[in-house]
Amino acid sequence: MIYLLQHLAVVLSLALFHIVGPIPIELGVHDGALAPCPTPAHCARADWPIEQRSGDTPQSALESLVPVIEAMAGTEIVERAEGYLHATATSSLFGFVDDLELYADTEDGILQARSVSRLGDSDLGVNSKRLEILRQALNPAPRV
């Protein structure tokens, strides 16, 4: 019983203090790409080919996702440059911060995406789910 109370006290204490963590040093575009994931336990990475024959470009695909990102709860765009976007997503309960990056790779015709947790050993699939929401926004399922 004491263990349960101690555990509950720790959880409640963490809820009071938003746990931000340090900004990852590997953010940004390096040698034409976003950084690989150090581990899939708290990071997700994807490359989405952009159908250029329909008039889309990696840059237009990135721009089309801006309103989707802005509509995500707890998400804030912190940097937006030509071909690159960095946003943070803060969880509502404990305030854990994840970094979301998009890079319009015009040379290879792909939109690169990366979402990584700043702290912890596991993200419980949150980063993968975030990228899946963005992928679905880019390529909605055909209506039947």
Side-chain angles (χ1 to χ4, degrees):
M1 180 67 166
I2 291 175
Y3 173 76
L4 183 61
L5 290 174
Q6 288 174 331
H7 184 69
L8 183 60
V10 168
V11 169
L12 290 174
S13 296
L14 289 174
L16 294 174
F17 305 103
H18 285 264
I19 302 170
V20 175
I23 297 172
I25 59 171
E26 70 273 4
L27 290 180
V29 180
H30 305 280
D31 297 323
L34 297 176
C37 284
T39 172
H42 67 95
C43 181
R45 173 91 167 62
D47 291 338
W48 300 314
I50 304 302
E51 294 290 329
Q52 295 184 357
R53 66 174 171 249
S54 64
D56 289 338
T57 65
Q59 179 64 37
S60 67
L62 186 153
E63 292 300 325
S64 75
L65 291 177
V66 169
V68 177
I69 293 167
E70 290 175 332
M72 292 176 158
T75 303
E76 178 184 348
I77 295 174
V78 293
E79 181 182 351
R80 190 169 162 193
E82 184 69 27
Y84 178 77
L85 181 141
H86 172 222
T88 56
T90 305
S91 67
S92 59
L93 183 57
F94 293 114
F96 290 116
V97 175
D98 298 340
D99 290 283
L100 170 65
E101 296 181 283
L102 298 176
Y103 168 58
D105 182 352
T106 55
E107 186 173 313
D108 293 325
I110 59 174
L111 181 61
Q112 297 180 23
R114 181 173 185 264
S115 185
V116 61
S117 300
R118 289 186 182 180
L119 297 173
D121 293 327
S122 174
D123 66 3
L124 304 174
V126 170
N127 288 302
S128 292
K129 289 175 191 168
R130 182 176 296 117
L131 292 190
E132 180 58 19
I133 289 168
L134 295 175
R135 188 200 61 77
Q136 288 178 0
L138 268 183
N139 303 309
R143 293 185 180 179
V144 179

